[in-house]
Amino acid sequence: MTLQETASSATAHLLTGPALWPAQAHTPSVLGRQLVINRGEGSYVFTSDGRRLFDGTAGLWHANIGHSNPELAQAAYEQMKQLETYHIFARFANDKALALGERLAEISPIERSKVILNSGGSDAIDVACKLARRHWQREGRSSKKVILSREFAYHGLHAYGTSIGGLEFNREGYGTESLVPETARVSFNDREHVAATVARIGADNIAAIVTEPVQGTGGVNPPAPGYLEMIQKICRENDILLILDEVITGFGRLGTMFGAERYSIEPDLITFAKGVTSGYAPLGGVLVSPRVWEPFYVDSPDTPIFRHGATYAGHATAAAVALRHFDILEREQLVPRVKELEVILRTEFDLLAQRRPAVADVRVAGLLGGITLADHLKAEQICDDLIELGYIARPLRGNTVQVSPPFIITDHELRLFVAAIDQAIIERENR
């Protein structure tokens, strides 16, 4: 067979592969190598070919209480028997969406929050950015349109999330620099650059600054000391809304219910998703401060309408799952448990960095960890090697190995996980 025939045969094989288009993938590189997960149990998942893997990333940062919890399955079943869902448009609501709104407002770090519900984190970012601009339009300050976000930030992949993202590879190829043009990036940790950017663009043109408390997909980057406080100060002094993206960090991942509490930040809007149900149902939303919501609640014929809503906003079954999920978090004391696990993870990471020169840096915040490797090792290869050792980790920007296991991990399992990373580094260096 000639080289041309071989290439043609390989291409034909790819074109006849599974109908499902892999997400965020160089498709030819993953077809034929996909791990098909068909069962989960606690901190472990199982593949269709019989492998048992420790889920060291909690799926995509979300399986906080572990997989296949029967209590949450029962909650969904019971709700679906009664009412799968009903929309919350205009005069209509459903009892579970109302109950979830009250529960979220009780635990919100924003006093007197209102809650907008939708289907996930990318939805939540779109809502928050639209609401920020709508706020200033209503205030008669229509020039305030620009949304600032940080270098290396990830805010989902809807139109707004793509536009404000700080990972350039997620923004390329859509015909313009941004799908939404009124956006700009600031340094992910340089305070002077943030202030200079605000001065250059002008506060009268900036609607909001969006930031993750700890950057996730951008490489697990905790904020530099004083950085978030400085952003908050700039927002207050320049009449700019502060949007905290807590899609990853919300509901315990940092050892507090929200990252806002860990870093003593008082935002105007908080986006959430993932940990609100531990991934058992697609659900997200926005916590809204009185400053933003009150004008939409004034009893007047001139009161504006926030023209946003989605079919599955306030989905009754998703809300029922979230409510039961909060019961489990509280009963099992899983958020305080994250603080205990953070100490172990930090200790193990520090020891790993001391033992292995190939570890260039380690970062820990709550049960979020990042290991940056020296250039001669590739995070993607280490993560592939970890699969063979029975562990799932994920390669991120900056040659970083992501660690974010479920909250139910034991001390021993956490130490074994870091030991497996150590083993993968040793074996890869000895090849």
Side-chain angles (χ1 to χ4, degrees), residues 223-264:
Y227 180 87
L228 293 179
E229 294 87 342
M230 176 275 308
I231 286 185
Q232 178 170 264
K233 184 172 184 288
I234 286 177
C235 286
R236 289 177 174 172
E237 290 177 349
N238 292 276
D239 218 7
I240 296 168
L241 296 181
L242 176 57
I243 302 173
L244 211 56
D245 181 347
E246 298 239 31
V247 170
I248 289 174
T249 57
F251 310 105
R253 179 56 66 177
L254 296 179
T256 51
M257 190 59 75
F258 291 91
E261 296 163 326
R262 176 169 176 139
Y263 296 107
S264 300

Side-chain angles (χ1 to χ4, degrees), residues 19 33 45 130 145 174 195 198 228 237 241 259 266 283 286 293-294 324 344 354 357 360 375 396 400 422-423:
R33 300 177 58 240
V45 293
K130 286 175 63 178
K145 298 178 181 178
Y174 294 105
V198 170
L228 293 179
E237 290 177 349
L241 296 181
E266 299 177 4
L283 177 66
V286 185
W293 67 255
E294 281 181 342
R324 190 70 62 86
I344 297 171
Q354 292 170 19
D375 292 341
L396 298 179
T400 295
D422 190 14
Q423 181 180 344

Side-chain angles (χ1 to χ4, degrees), residues 223-340:
Y227 180 87
L228 293 179
E229 294 87 342
M230 176 275 308
I231 286 185
Q232 178 170 264
K233 184 172 184 288
I234 286 177
C235 286
R236 289 177 174 172
E237 290 177 349
N238 292 276
D239 218 7
I240 296 168
L241 296 181
L242 176 57
I243 302 173
L244 211 56
D245 181 347
E246 298 239 31
V247 170
I248 289 174
T249 57
F251 310 105
R253 179 56 66 177
L254 296 179
T256 51
M257 190 59 75
F258 291 91
E261 296 163 326
R262 176 169 176 139
Y263 296 107
S264 300
I265 300 301
E266 299 177 4
D268 298 290
L269 301 162
I270 292 176
T271 62
F272 64 86
K274 296 185 186 295
V276 68
T277 66
S278 274
Y280 280 73
L283 177 66
V286 185
L287 301 174
V288 186
S289 68
R291 174 188 184 184
V292 177
W293 67 255
E294 281 181 342
F296 294 91
Y297 276 71
V298 174
D299 186 7
S300 166
D302 298 325
T303 297
I305 298 173
F306 180 46
R307 294 289 183 183
H308 190 92
T311 301
Y312 297 128
H315 193 281
T317 300
V321 169
L323 288 164
R324 190 70 62 86
H325 173 252
F326 289 149
D327 292 341
I328 294 171
L329 285 180
E330 293 175 8
R331 185 182 69 231
E332 304 297 329
Q333 290 291 290
L334 290 178
V335 177
R337 171 67 176 148
V338 170
K339 290 184 179 180
E340 299 172 0

Side-chain angles (χ1 to χ4, degrees), residues 131-185:
L131 183 54
R133 287 181 57 162
R134 184 69 180 89
H135 169 78
W136 294 118
Q137 290 283 326
R138 189 206 57 77
E139 291 277 307
R141 303 173 69 179
S142 58
S143 65
K144 290 176 76 67
K145 298 178 181 178
V146 176
I147 308 291
L148 295 185
S149 53
R150 295 165 69 192
E151 179 187 25
F152 310 140
Y154 179 82
H155 299 293
L157 293 175
H158 286 359
Y160 250 117
T162 298
S163 298
I164 67 175
L167 297 167
E168 293 301 319
F169 51 75
N170 281 332
R171 301 174 60 212
E172 295 171 352
Y174 294 105
T176 58
E177 182 182 349
S178 298
L179 296 170
V180 181
E182 297 93 349
T183 68
R185 254 60 55 206

Side-chain angles (χ1 to χ4, degrees), residues 178-197:
S178 298
L179 296 170
V180 181
E182 297 93 349
T183 68
R185 254 60 55 206
V186 298
S187 169
F188 86 107
N189 260 345
D190 185 334
R191 292 183 284 182
E192 291 183 3
H193 183 267
V194 179
T197 302

Side-chain angles (χ1 to χ4, degrees), residues 36-193:
V36 179
I37 308 298
N38 60 10
R39 186 165 68 88
E41 183 179 317
S43 295
Y44 296 83
V45 293
F46 299 80
T47 66
S48 58
D49 59 1
R51 285 188 265 186
R52 176 178 182 261
L53 301 174
F54 181 81
D55 189 3
T57 60
L60 289 175
W61 324 83
H62 61 71
N64 296 345
I65 67 166
H67 299 281
S68 304
N69 185 291
E71 190 172 343
L72 291 192
Q74 185 66 29
Y77 170 68
E78 291 171 357
Q79 181 59 41
M80 285 185 178
K81 283 198 305 179
Q82 177 175 317
L83 173 70
E84 76 294 343
T85 195
Y86 206 80
H87 69 81
I88 59 171
F89 279 41
R91 291 182 62 194
F92 291 91
N94 67 71
D95 60 334
K96 292 302 187 295
L98 288 169
L100 178 59
E102 296 303 317
R103 190 83 170 263
L104 287 166
E106 288 173 5
I107 64 175
S108 171
I110 299 174
E111 292 187 9
R112 299 175 55 230
S113 291
K114 295 295 183 186
V115 182
I116 298 174
L117 294 175
N118 49 44
S119 301
S122 292
D123 289 356
I125 285 292
D126 264 28
V127 171
C129 291
K130 286 175 63 178
L131 183 54
R133 287 181 57 162
R134 184 69 180 89
H135 169 78
W136 294 118
Q137 290 283 326
R138 189 206 57 77
E139 291 277 307
R141 303 173 69 179
S142 58
S143 65
K144 290 176 76 67
K145 298 178 181 178
V146 176
I147 308 291
L148 295 185
S149 53
R150 295 165 69 192
E151 179 187 25
F152 310 140
Y154 179 82
H155 299 293
L157 293 175
H158 286 359
Y160 250 117
T162 298
S163 298
I164 67 175
L167 297 167
E168 293 301 319
F169 51 75
N170 281 332
R171 301 174 60 212
E172 295 171 352
Y174 294 105
T176 58
E177 182 182 349
S178 298
L179 296 170
V180 181
E182 297 93 349
T183 68
R185 254 60 55 206
V186 298
S187 169
F188 86 107
N189 260 345
D190 185 334
R191 292 183 284 182
E192 291 183 3
H193 183 267

